[in-house]
Coordinates of all heavy atoms in Angstrom, one line a residue:
M149 N 85.8 145.2 110.7 CA 85.7 143.7 110.3 C 85.9 143.0 111.6 O 86.8 143.1 112.3 CB 86.9 143.6 109.4 CG 86.9 142.2 109.0 SD 88.3 141.6 107.9 CE 88.4 142.9 106.8
D150 N 85.0 142.1 111.8 CA 85.0 141.3 113.0 C 86.1 140.1 112.9 O 86.6 139.9 111.8 CB 83.6 140.7 113.5 CG 83.1 139.7 112.5 OD1 83.8 138.8 112.1 OD2 81.8 139.6 112.3
V151 N 86.2 139.4 114.0 CA 87.3 138.3 114.1 C 87.0 137.3 113.0 O 88.0 136.7 112.3 CB 87.4 137.7 115.5 CG1 86.3 137.1 115.9 CG2 88.7 137.0 115.6
F152 N 85.8 136.9 112.8 CA 85.5 135.8 111.9 C 85.8 136.3 110.4 O 86.3 135.5 109.6 CB 84.1 135.2 112.1 CG 83.9 134.9 113.4 CD1 83.0 135.5 114.2 CD2 84.5 133.8 114.0 CE1 82.7 135.2 115.6 CE2 84.4 133.4 115.3 CZ 83.4 134.1 116.0
N153 N 85.4 137.4 110.1 CA 85.7 138.0 108.7 C 87.2 138.2 108.5 O 87.7 137.9 107.4 CB 84.8 139.2 108.3 CG 83.5 138.8 108.1 OD1 83.0 138.0 107.4 ND2 82.5 139.6 108.8
M154 N 87.8 138.6 109.6 CA 89.3 138.7 109.6 C 90.0 137.4 109.3 O 90.8 137.3 108.4 CB 89.8 139.2 110.9 CG 91.4 139.5 110.9 SD 91.8 140.3 112.5 CE 91.7 138.9 113.5
L155 N 89.5 136.4 110.0 CA 90.2 135.0 109.6 C 89.8 134.5 108.4 O 90.7 133.8 107.8 CB 89.7 134.1 110.8 CG 90.2 134.4 112.2 CD1 89.5 133.5 113.3 CD2 91.7 134.3 112.3
K156 N 88.6 134.7 107.9 CA 88.2 134.3 106.6 C 89.1 134.9 105.5 O 89.5 134.4 104.4 CB 86.7 134.6 106.3 CG 85.8 133.7 106.9 CD 84.3 134.1 106.7 CE 83.4 133.3 107.5 NZ 82.0 133.5 107.1
Q157 N 89.4 136.3 105.7 CA 90.2 137.0 104.8 C 91.6 136.4 104.8 O 92.4 136.3 103.7 CB 90.3 138.4 105.2 CG 91.1 139.3 104.2 CD 91.0 140.8 104.5 OE1 91.0 141.1 105.8 NE2 91.3 141.7 103.6
E158 N 92.1 136.0 105.9 CA 93.4 135.5 106.1 C 93.4 134.1 105.4 O 94.5 133.7 104.7 CB 93.8 135.3 107.5 CG 94.2 136.7 108.2 CD 94.5 136.5 109.6 OE1 94.7 135.3 110.2 OE2 94.7 137.6 110.3
H159 N 92.3 133.3 105.4 CA 92.2 132.1 104.8 C 92.4 132.2 103.3 O 93.2 131.5 102.6 CB 90.8 131.4 105.1 CG 90.6 130.9 106.4 ND1 89.4 130.5 106.9 CD2 91.5 130.6 107.4 CE1 89.5 130.2 108.2 NE2 90.8 130.2 108.5
D160 N 91.7 133.2 102.7 CA 91.9 133.6 101.3 C 93.3 133.9 100.9 O 93.8 133.5 99.9 CB 91.0 134.7 100.9 CG 89.5 134.4 100.9 OD1 89.1 133.1 100.9 OD2 88.7 135.3 101.0
E161 N 94.0 134.7 101.8 CA 95.3 135.0 101.6 C 96.3 133.9 101.6 O 97.2 133.8 100.8 CB 95.8 136.1 102.6 CG 95.1 137.5 102.3 CD 95.3 138.4 103.5 OE1 96.0 138.0 104.5 OE2 94.6 139.5 103.5
V162 N 96.0 133.0 102.6 CA 96.9 131.8 102.8 C 96.7 130.9 101.5 O 97.7 130.3 100.9 CB 96.6 131.0 103.9 CG1 97.1 129.5 104.0 CG2 97.1 131.7 105.4
K163 N 95.5 130.8 101.0 CA 95.2 129.8 99.8 C 96.1 130.5 98.6 O 96.7 129.7 97.9 CB 93.7 129.8 99.5 CG 93.1 128.9 100.5 CD 91.6 128.5 100.1 CE 90.7 129.6 100.3 NZ 89.3 129.3 100.1
K164 N 96.0 131.8 98.4 CA 96.6 132.5 97.3 C 98.2 132.4 97.5 O 98.8 132.1 96.6 CB 96.3 134.0 97.3 CG 94.8 134.2 96.8 CD 94.5 135.7 96.8 CE 93.1 135.8 96.6 NZ 92.6 137.3 96.8
G165 N 98.7 132.5 98.7 CA 100.1 132.3 98.9 C 100.5 130.9 98.7 O 101.6 130.8 98.1
L166 N 99.7 130.0 99.0 CA 100.2 128.6 98.7 C 100.2 128.3 97.2 O 101.1 127.7 96.9 CB 99.1 127.7 99.5 CG 99.4 126.2 99.4 CD1 100.8 125.8 99.9 CD2 98.4 125.4 100.2
Q167 N 99.2 128.8 96.7 CA 99.3 128.6 95.0 C 100.5 129.3 94.5 O 101.2 128.8 93.6 CB 98.0 129.3 94.5 CG 96.7 128.6 94.8 CD 95.5 129.3 94.2 OE1 95.6 130.5 93.9 NE2 94.4 128.7 94.2
K168 N 100.9 130.5 95.0 CA 102.2 131.2 94.4 C 103.4 130.3 94.8 O 104.2 130.1 93.8 CB 102.3 132.6 95.1 CG 101.3 133.5 94.7 CD 101.6 134.9 95.3 CE 100.4 135.9 94.9 NZ 100.7 137.2 95.5
V169 N 103.4 129.7 95.9 CA 104.5 128.9 96.3 C 104.5 127.6 95.4 O 105.7 127.2 94.9 CB 104.5 128.4 97.8 CG1 105.6 127.5 98.2 CG2 104.8 129.7 98.7
M170 N 103.5 127.1 95.1 CA 103.3 125.8 94.4 C 103.7 126.1 92.8 O 104.2 125.2 92.3 CB 101.9 125.2 94.6 CG 101.8 124.7 96.0 SD 100.1 124.0 96.2 CE 100.4 122.3 95.6
R171 N 103.5 127.3 92.4 CA 103.8 127.6 91.0 C 105.3 128.0 90.9 O 105.8 128.1 89.7 CB 102.9 128.7 90.5 CG 101.5 128.3 90.2 CD 100.7 129.3 89.5 NE 100.7 130.6 90.1 CZ 99.7 131.1 90.8 NH1 98.6 130.5 90.9 NH2 99.7 132.2 91.3
A172 N 105.9 128.3 92.0 CA 107.4 128.7 91.9 C 108.3 127.6 91.2 O 107.9 126.4 91.5 CB 107.9 129.1 93.3
M173 N 109.3 128.1 90.6 CA 110.2 127.0 90.0 C 110.9 126.1 91.0 O 111.0 125.0 90.7 CB 111.3 127.7 89.1 CG 110.7 128.5 87.9 SD 110.0 127.3 86.7 CE 111.5 126.6 86.0
D174 N 111.3 126.8 92.0 CA 111.9 125.9 93.1 C 111.3 126.5 94.5 O 111.8 127.3 95.1 CB 113.4 126.3 93.2 CG 114.2 125.3 94.2 OD1 113.5 124.6 95.0 OD2 115.4 125.4 94.2
P175 N 110.1 125.7 94.8 CA 109.4 126.2 96.0 C 110.2 126.2 97.3 O 110.1 126.8 98.3 CB 108.2 125.3 96.1 CG 108.4 124.2 95.1 CD 109.6 124.6 94.1
A176 N 111.3 125.3 97.3 CA 112.0 125.2 98.6 C 112.9 126.3 98.8 O 113.3 126.6 99.9 CB 112.8 123.8 98.5
D177 N 113.2 127.0 97.8 CA 114.1 128.2 97.8 C 113.5 129.5 97.6 O 113.9 130.5 97.0 CB 115.3 128.0 96.8 CG 116.4 129.1 96.9 OD1 116.7 129.3 98.0 OD2 116.9 129.6 95.9
S178 N 112.2 129.6 98.1 CA 111.4 130.7 97.8 C 111.2 131.5 99.1 O 110.8 131.0 100.1 CB 110.1 130.2 97.2 OG 109.1 131.2 97.1
G179 N 111.3 132.9 98.9 CA 110.8 133.8 100.0 C 109.4 133.6 100.1 O 108.9 134.0 101.2
K180 N 108.7 133.3 99.2 CA 107.2 133.1 99.2 C 107.0 132.0 100.3 O 105.8 132.0 101.0 CB 106.5 132.7 97.9 CG 106.7 133.9 96.9 CD 106.2 133.5 95.5 CE 106.4 134.6 94.5 NZ 106.9 134.2 93.4
L181 N 107.7 130.9 100.2 CA 107.6 129.9 101.3 C 107.8 130.3 102.6 O 106.9 130.1 103.6 CB 108.5 128.7 100.9 CG 108.4 127.5 101.8 CD1 107.0 126.9 101.9 CD2 109.3 126.4 101.5
R182 N 108.8 131.2 102.9 CA 109.0 131.7 104.1 C 107.9 132.6 104.6 O 107.4 132.5 105.9 CB 110.3 132.4 104.3 CG 111.5 131.6 104.2 CD 112.9 132.2 104.4 NE 113.1 133.5 103.5 CZ 113.6 133.4 102.3 NH1 113.9 132.2 101.8 NH2 113.8 134.5 101.7
R183 N 107.3 133.4 103.6 CA 106.2 134.3 103.9 C 105.0 133.5 104.3 O 104.3 133.9 105.3 CB 105.9 135.2 102.8 CG 104.6 135.9 102.8 CD 104.2 136.8 104.0 NE 105.2 138.0 104.1 CZ 105.5 138.6 105.3 NH1 104.7 138.3 106.3 NH2 106.4 139.4 105.5
L184 N 104.7 132.5 103.6 CA 103.6 131.6 103.7 C 103.7 131.0 105.3 O 102.8 130.9 105.9 CB 103.5 130.5 102.8 CG 102.4 129.4 103.0 CD1 101.0 130.0 102.8 CD2 102.5 128.3 101.9
C185 N 104.8 130.3 105.5 CA 105.1 129.7 106.9 C 104.8 130.7 108.0 O 104.0 130.4 108.9 CB 106.4 129.1 107.0 SG 106.7 127.7 105.9
A186 N 105.3 131.9 107.8 CA 105.1 133.0 108.8 C 103.7 133.4 109.0 O 103.1 133.4 110.1 CB 106.0 134.2 108.5
D187 N 103.0 133.6 107.8 CA 101.6 133.9 107.8 C 100.8 132.7 108.5 O 99.8 133.1 109.3 CB 101.1 134.1 106.4 CG 101.6 135.4 105.9 OD1 102.2 136.3 106.6 OD2 101.4 135.6 104.6
L188 N 101.0 131.5 108.2 CA 100.3 130.5 108.8 C 100.6 130.3 110.3 O 99.6 130.2 111.0 CB 100.7 129.1 108.1 CG 100.0 128.8 106.8 CD1 100.6 127.6 106.1 CD2 98.5 128.5 107.1
E189 N 101.7 130.5 110.8 CA 102.1 130.5 112.1 C 101.2 131.5 112.8 O 100.7 131.3 113.9 CB 103.5 130.6 112.4 CG 104.3 129.5 112.0 CD 105.9 129.7 112.2 OE1 106.2 130.8 112.8 OE2 106.7 128.9 111.9
R190 N 101.2 132.8 112.3 CA 100.6 133.8 112.9 C 99.0 133.5 113.0 O 98.4 133.8 114.0 CB 100.8 135.2 112.2 CG 100.2 136.4 112.8 CD 100.5 137.7 112.0 NE 101.9 137.9 111.9 CZ 102.6 137.6 110.6 NH1 102.1 137.3 109.6 NH2 103.9 137.9 110.7
H191 N 98.5 133.0 111.9 CA 97.1 132.8 111.8 C 96.7 131.8 113.0 O 95.7 131.9 113.5 CB 96.8 132.3 110.5 CG 95.3 132.0 110.2 ND1 94.3 133.0 110.1 CD2 94.7 130.8 110.3 CE1 93.2 132.3 110.0 NE2 93.4 131.1 110.1
M192 N 97.5 130.7 112.9 CA 97.2 129.6 113.9 C 97.3 130.1 115.4 O 96.5 129.6 116.2 CB 98.1 128.4 113.7 CG 97.7 127.6 112.4 SD 98.6 126.1 112.1 CE 100.2 126.7 111.7
A193 N 98.3 131.0 115.7 CA 98.5 131.6 116.9 C 97.2 132.3 117.4 O 96.7 132.2 118.5 CB 99.6 132.4 117.0
V194 N 96.7 133.1 116.5 CA 95.5 133.8 116.8 C 94.3 132.9 117.1 O 93.6 133.0 118.0 CB 95.1 134.8 115.6 CG1 93.7 135.4 115.8 CG2 96.1 135.9 115.5
E195 N 94.2 131.9 116.2 CA 93.0 130.9 116.4 C 93.2 130.2 117.8 O 92.3 130.0 118.6 CB 93.0 129.9 115.4 CG 92.3 130.5 114.0 CD 92.3 129.6 112.9 OE1 92.8 128.6 112.9 OE2 91.5 130.0 112.0
E196 N 94.4 129.6 118.0 CA 94.6 128.8 119.3 C 94.6 129.7 120.5 O 94.1 129.1 121.6 CB 96.0 128.2 119.1 CG 96.0 127.1 118.0 CD 97.3 126.4 117.8 OE1 98.3 126.8 118.5 OE2 97.5 125.6 116.9
E197 N 95.2 130.9 120.6 CA 95.2 131.7 121.9 C 94.0 132.5 122.1 O 93.7 132.8 123.2 CB 96.5 132.5 121.7 CG 97.8 131.9 121.6 CD 98.9 132.7 121.3 OE1 98.9 133.9 121.6 OE2 99.9 132.1 120.9
V198 N 93.2 132.9 121.0 CA 92.2 133.8 121.1 C 90.9 133.2 120.9 O 89.9 133.1 121.7 CB 92.4 135.1 120.4 CG1 91.2 136.0 120.5 CG2 93.7 135.7 120.7
V199 N 90.8 132.7 119.7 CA 89.4 132.2 119.2 C 89.0 130.9 119.7 O 87.9 130.6 120.3 CB 89.4 132.2 117.6 CG1 88.1 131.8 117.1 CG2 89.7 133.6 117.2
Y200 N 89.8 129.9 119.6 CA 89.4 128.5 119.9 C 89.0 128.4 121.5 O 88.0 127.6 121.8 CB 90.4 127.6 119.7 CG 90.7 127.1 118.1 CD1 89.9 127.8 117.2 CD2 91.7 126.3 117.7 CE1 90.0 127.4 115.8 CE2 91.8 125.9 116.4 CZ 90.9 126.5 115.4 OH 91.1 126.1 114.2
P201 N 89.8 129.0 122.4 CA 89.2 128.8 123.7 C 87.8 129.2 124.0 O 87.2 128.6 124.7 CB 90.4 129.8 124.5 CG 91.6 129.7 123.7 CD 90.9 129.7 122.2
R202 N 87.4 130.3 123.3 CA 86.1 130.7 123.5 C 85.1 129.9 122.8 O 84.0 129.4 123.3 CB 85.9 132.2 123.1 CG 84.5 132.7 123.2 CD 83.9 132.6 124.5 NE 82.5 132.9 124.6 CZ 81.6 132.0 124.8 NH1 81.8 130.7 124.6 NH2 80.3 132.5 124.9
L203 N 85.4 129.4 121.5 CA 84.6 128.6 120.8 C 84.4 127.2 121.4 O 83.4 126.5 121.2 CB 85.0 128.5 119.3 CG 85.2 129.9 118.5 CD1 85.4 129.5 116.9 CD2 83.9 130.7 118.7
R204 N 85.5 126.8 122.0 CA 85.4 125.4 122.6 C 84.3 125.3 123.7 O 83.7 124.3 124.0 CB 86.7 125.1 123.4 CG 87.0 123.6 123.5 CD 88.3 123.5 124.1 NE 89.1 122.4 123.2 CZ 90.3 122.2 123.4 NH1 91.0 122.8 124.3 NH2 90.7 121.3 122.6
K205 N 83.9 126.4 124.3 CA 82.8 126.5 125.2 C 81.4 126.4 124.6 O 80.4 126.3 125.3 CB 82.9 127.7 126.1 CG 84.2 127.9 126.9 CD 84.4 129.1 127.6 CE 85.6 129.3 128.3 NZ 85.8 130.6 128.9

Side-chain angles (χ1 to χ4, degrees):
M149 176 182 320
D150 73 33
V151 66
F152 304 116
N153 286 315
M154 180 179 77
L155 293 173
K156 286 178 184 180
Q157 182 178 30
E158 289 177 10
H159 288 164
D160 291 341
E161 292 167 6
V162 163
K163 287 190 283 189
K164 288 175 189 171
L166 183 55
Q167 288 173 347
K168 287 178 184 178
V169 170
M170 292 178 86
R171 286 193 304 257
M173 291 297 283
D174 184 358
D177 187 38
S178 171
K180 293 176 184 134
L181 178 58
R182 289 189 304 278
R183 165 58 58 197
L184 176 66
C185 289
D187 289 347
L188 278 167
E189 287 178 4
R190 182 179 303 107
H191 178 83
M192 289 186 291
V194 168
E195 288 183 341
E196 291 173 5
E197 296 171 21
V198 177
V199 179
Y200 285 1
R202 178 57 187 99
L203 299 191
R204 198 177 234 171
K205 295 176 185 174

